[in-house]
Amino acid sequence: ILGSSASNMYETYRLSETVGDKNFPSYAPSSQLLEAYLPPTDAPPSEVAMAPLGRSYDKILSDLRNMNRLELLVLFLKCRSPRNIAEVRGDWDGELLDNGGAVMTSVSSFLTDRLFGKGRKWNGKAFYPQNKDYISGDGVNRFLSIGEKGLPETEHKFYWFLESSHIDPKSKSLLLAYHRFQGRLSPWRGMRDEVRVLQVQNGRRLGDGGCILIGMGCMDWSGAFWRNGFMNCAPFCLYRPPDQIKI
């Protein structure tokens, strides 16, 4: 586990140091799956990732589930921050994604579902804005209750705000911080997430241009407090069912 964590941290650091370069992501091995979402190689570095034109909502989620951590990290770094509250406000379903192979993915699931969720499967997040002029507010995590029905339950609040990314300091992300709502001895006090928008284009404006959020979660101690732990971040995604998206 320590070796896998160190590998993830080094991988994140190398990518974070080359973001914005003309040839980014030259360090990361190319794949057809990832390239379909990235801007053309001759596009300006400011161009952001976008889902391929006409690709269905379910196919996009399937693509994310099939990407490895390195591909997900590259995709996250090429996504943009939210432009307005409408892009994040409300409830989102969620899934954990690959965290660098079977070992680290299992560790991420164990920490999230067994410990953080107290045996309940993590099911997403909800965002509640504080005002209409500034992208910030409170939020809470969602879990499926233990039992046959698996009804949604909420626990572990966070505060969210737009700020410079810890992974990519030259750009902004939606940052989620938990310390306000955790006790001094809580292992979750140092938990943090970063979220960016994967813009969807399929001939309609889904969710004001974006209906899928790519996230990176961490705990400061698990990343040796390096950039608040984000060098050992774990990927996840948030999404709204198509019938809940306002067009």
Side-chain angles (χ1 to χ4, degrees):
I1 293 176
L2 290 177
S4 298
S5 293
S7 177
N8 278 359
M9 292 169 71
Y10 181 62
E11 181 177 88
T12 306
Y13 172 73
R14 289 192 65 182
L15 279 178
S16 69
E17 289 298 297
T18 60
V19 176
D21 291 355
K22 183 177 181 180
N23 296 323
F24 179 85
S26 58
Y27 155 65
S30 61
S31 72
Q32 291 184 341
L33 183 59
L34 174 61
E35 287 178 356
Y37 288 81
L38 298 181
T41 54
D42 58 351
S46 58
E47 288 291 309
V48 299
M50 187 175 294
L53 182 64
R55 187 152 302 188
S56 72
Y57 179 86
D58 289 337
K59 182 61 170 65
I60 295 170
L61 291 177
S62 176
D63 287 346
L64 295 178
R65 295 177 187 124
N66 288 318
M67 288 185 188
N68 60 40
R69 181 183 185 272
L70 181 58
E71 293 170 327
L72 291 164
L73 188 54
V74 170
L75 182 61
F76 170 84
L77 290 170
K78 290 301 294 182
C79 285
R80 62 172 176 82
S81 62
R83 291 173 178 160
N84 54 60
I85 288 175
E87 289 190 315
V88 295
R89 177 176 50 209
D91 283 78
W92 295 80
D93 292 338
E95 290 185 26
L96 301 177
L97 301 172
D98 179 74
N99 192 28
V103 173
M104 291 304 294
T105 300
S106 297
V107 170
S108 179
S109 297
F110 178 80
L111 288 172
T112 305
D113 298 337
R114 297 286 293 180
L115 300 182
F116 187 61
K118 301 175 182 176
R120 300 165 299 177
K121 185 176 180 60
W122 180 74
N123 181 240
K125 298 179 185 289
F127 297 85
Y128 310 117
Q130 288 185 334
N131 60 67
K132 64 179 182 179
D133 299 320
Y134 184 67
I135 302 179
S136 68
D138 292 341
V140 68
N141 283 274
R142 305 187 335 177
F143 303 89
L144 296 179
S145 63
I146 300 173
E148 294 182 2
K149 294 184 178 180
L151 299 175
E153 299 177 344
T154 59
E155 190 177 6
H156 295 305
K157 293 182 179 180
F158 54 83
Y159 173 67
W160 52 274
F161 52 98
L162 199 62
E163 192 172 276
S164 296
S165 167
H166 292 281
I167 308 172
D168 172 22
K170 296 179 182 178
S171 302
K172 290 188 176 182
S173 293
L174 194 71
L175 269 65
L176 285 57
Y178 291 75
H179 64 277
R180 286 188 181 183
F181 305 100
Q182 298 290 333
R184 291 187 178 277
L185 299 179
S186 170
W188 317 118
R189 184 177 174 83
M191 178 174 280
R192 293 175 175 84
D193 302 315
E194 285 196 18
V195 172
R196 290 185 174 182
V197 176
L198 173 60
Q199 193 155 311
V200 173
Q201 50 169 355
N202 65 350
R204 301 184 302 173
R205 297 185 66 189
L206 292 183
D208 194 23
C211 69
I212 295 179
L213 305 178
I214 306 294
M216 294 288 162
C218 74
M219 289 178 285
D220 51 12
W221 53 265
S222 70
F225 299 92
W226 190 6
R227 293 193 191 174
N228 284 329
F230 274 107
M231 292 299 96
N232 196 22
C233 56
F236 64 89
C237 68
L238 300 170
Y239 53 92
R240 301 188 200 270
D243 59 0
Q244 292 184 16
I245 299 171
K246 296 181 181 180
I247 300 173

